[in-house]
Amino acid sequence: MSGYNPYGQPGYQTPSNGPPHQQQQPPLGPQHRPPVAPSPYQQQSGTPFGQPPPNGQQSQHGGTPYGGYQGLGNVSQEQGYFPSQGQARSGNDEAMGGLSSQMGNMGLGDEGATTTFNGMQQGFNQQPYRNTDSSQQPNTPYGAQPITPAMNQFPAPAGAAFSPGLQPGGSVFGASSQQSMPVPSGPGVSAQGRVDPEQIPSIPLTRDAAARHYLEHIYPTIDQHLPPPASIPFVAFDQGNSSPKYARLTLNNIPSTSEALAATGLPLGMVLQPLALLQEGEEKIPVLDFGETGPPRCRRCRTYINPFMTFRSGGNKLVCNMCTFPNDVAPEYFAPTDPSGVRVDRAQRPELTLGTVEFMVPKEYWAKEPVGLRWLFLIDVSQEAITRGFLEAFCNGVMSALYDDDQEDPDYEKINDEGTTLKRSIPVGSKVGFVAFDKAMHYFNCSAKLDQAQMLVMPDIEEPFVPLGSEGLFVDPYESKSIITSLLQRLPTLFSDIRNPEPALLPTLDSALSALSATGGKIICSLSTLPTWGPGKLFKRDEGHISAATGGETFFYPNYVAPRDSEKLGLEIKRTVTRDTGYQALMKVRCSNGLQVSSYHGNFLQHNFGADLEFGVIDADKALGVMFSYDGKLDAKLDAHFQCALLYTTASGERRVRCTNTVASVSEGTQMDTMRFIDQDAVVSMCAKEAASRMTERTLKDIRNAVTEKTVDILAGYRKNFSTSHPPGQLVLPENLKEFVMYMLGVIKSRAFKAGSEPSDRRTHSMRMIKSMSALELSLFLYPRIIPIHSLAPTDGFPNDTGHLQLPSAIRASFSRIEDGGAYLVDDGQICLLWLHASVSPNLLEDLFGPDKTSLQSLDPMLSSLPVLETHLNAQVRNILAYWSSVRGSKGLTVQLARQGLDGSEFEFARLLLEDRNNDAQSYVDWLVHVHRMVQMELSGQRKKDDGENSAGVVESTMAGIANLKPPW
């Protein structure tokens, strides 16, 4: 034995107390901190080293039987579970050779993120924005120790700004920006040149480097204004500028004129996720109550009070940061200012120091009397739901969401009811109701005064009404726990003998809306088949628009199989019920003089342009995009400001406004600072959301061409205006857009836009998801994370010395990185696959799945989670999966097996290898070659845009997009 190589077979491919008016909130439970399985450091039930593998199998490579698995053994093993194999083979070397005559020199831009607002250097002790109070800027309060999960403040140093270009590791980031990538032969290039995939930008490398940095450093929202990548967890310190978890600007330094912006080719927009979850270590959002007067606002533009408003005339005038109007300060809000013009009580006023706050609002902001959220469950009891086991799984999921038995779960509020300790997964004041439907509607009275639920049948689907009063239909789920539990347990058998094949969905929804008309609320509807009965019956599968118009969400389970998919269904019902949810919501976005909102992209309702956005419900996972255009010239001596105000009712029945304030500097003349402060994730999100919004107007081919043209416009604009010192044949990528090309290829390869055949269900579902996805979820959706589990180091998957889970490095999404005998976890935020090579070691299978699982054929294809075993590898993988489940968005994480040559899910695995040629689109290398050729043509004046006959504005911020704000129906 020369090292630790148990599973080896070489080949395939990885802040001071708050003010008196601050309202107290219940403390939030720890978030993004999944339970970690302990490391079982004792001999496990695997095959000991030195013994032959199960079933008498012998190694195919020499006499060593699979390297001899040593179990837990000594934690000082060299390399984990797979032998060192040197450089992984590249499966597409020959294809790359064929590109030799096409590719010109490539290089990375030399503009690193080193300066910020109006020339300020990035670092913690910088000067603040122009309108901020320098005397109130915090000193560095952070010690040298890193953040640990047990800490709820910010002890880690802010340190220098993270820049991937300064990180050690791959040559992509370590090489000088003046260096060219190895290139193929061609004019002016060596005949032996080749495209080296190791030298092209790597998304996994960037993610891993940023994740390591932000494990040890916080993100101060003003001092380091270039946000962390959306796909990694980080702790943000609110210095008056909102956390990028709530708002991300595409450009954190904005050109002063529209002509200057057009020269960059970049969109000016913002991705908003106003109810985004906090991470452990971040302070909760303060809730402020100004009584019957409401929060202070600008009388001209109605902007809410924020940290960038200034006080004059000794504190008697409040100058709006948006429109510069001087407002009189109300007597009850007056406080004197010091000689520098700063209010003496500023430090005790969260609305003057924090970028994100909530205000309680008086009755003038009410449309209806606020009450706790009403949840109405519409349960499909048709034949398909019963036969497939969908009805039973849905009922079990609702019970799990309402009455989870995990006493250690910190996300549930415990209450005392007559001496009995219960837990609430929904706030006090919230109520639930249940309606079953097939060809008729079945209402259930679950009042706590009854012995069991009463059913009232509504057979009239032409003019349905609600046969129950609200007191009988909506009940407290904990007062009526026994009745609700009994009902949900009996529903599958109650309708098992009826089995109506066609559900009547629209009449049920109409009746549900009537039931919620007085209070508002949220509908959770299960549907197992196309609703083809009664009014509103559908024959085309892409004509349903309900969730897209109300701010809702659709969860899609293609080829539903109960044993495999029930767990995922239950997790997603629980997520839907327990996440932060508001209803009866209105949103308004305001911006500085010189800018205006040009369009919105997301799932909402807007009756006419300029009106507030309306959301029936909005939750922590929902995001939308806002595009801005110029209506004048920005003053480079001032910063640009943006405020999103979300008026909503909380699930506990309080009417609030959540204000999210964002600031960006303004540059005049050269736009080099603009290029230094690009948020790649925001740019990608805006391009994807805008493209998804055009699917009802343009052909898919036009949209794909427009996405390609937008990519070329951005890179050509950079090459033409900011990188003239490089040779003409060299492709130069902006430092903060190095992976932009790969992400845009991911957009083209997504199910929403891909060429070729794709079921309309999947395509429409993907389009709706993209429109409402957060930047985090979209990043994973466009480029999955892949890790090899056969080569985990002994310490991977367990907490390190600082208490953080140590994760293995991810690999690129390419089949050339897959090794013979390997096992890989693949997660795109929607599905998590465990891919197993046909020659995977029986010892690995035994340690991962159990002692009787020694071959791929012995594994249960319907498996959705790993068994809990006392083996090192099993604990490692379960911990990694538990961590992933907390940093992926709205979808529940379950494992689906993809055994090579055995499971159909292997096709999904191949589809997720986005750097390869698949999904009816080019490989990453081919795509770079194509984009580079188009950039060269643009520079030489030979480029002819190919974005469709009428699609020149598909991904442009113009007023032509206004017509799309109304739903197409």
Side-chain angles (χ1 to χ4, degrees), residues 351-411:
E351 72 275 14
L352 300 180
T353 57
L354 299 178
T356 305
V357 296
E358 285 197 339
F359 301 108
M360 301 288 292
V361 293
K363 291 185 177 181
E364 62 186 88
Y365 291 80
W366 296 3
K368 299 175 181 177
E369 181 79 22
V371 295
L373 182 57
R374 269 48 176 162
W375 300 83
L376 186 54
F377 294 90
L378 307 183
I379 306 175
D380 181 2
V381 293
S382 65
Q383 178 178 340
E384 188 77 1
I386 297 171
T387 303
R388 285 183 171 268
F390 185 71
L391 172 57
E392 182 178 4
F394 186 84
C395 292
N396 290 336
V398 174
M399 284 192 291
S400 177
L402 294 176
Y403 313 114
D404 193 279
D405 293 330
D406 184 4
Q407 298 291 336
E408 301 302 321
D409 192 334
D411 294 333

Side-chain angles (χ1 to χ4, degrees), residues 601-603 623 684-685 687-693 695 747 750-753 764-774 778 781-782:
H601 304 286
N603 292 335
V684 171
S685 292
C687 290
K689 291 179 185 296
E690 203 159 3
S693 297
M695 283 187 66
V747 172
S750 70
R751 283 198 163 100
F753 308 112
T764 304
H765 176 65
S766 294
M767 179 266 288
R768 297 268 168 73
M769 283 200 309
I770 290 173
K771 289 173 65 176
S772 64
M773 269 182 174
S774 66
L778 183 61
F781 184 69
L782 298 180

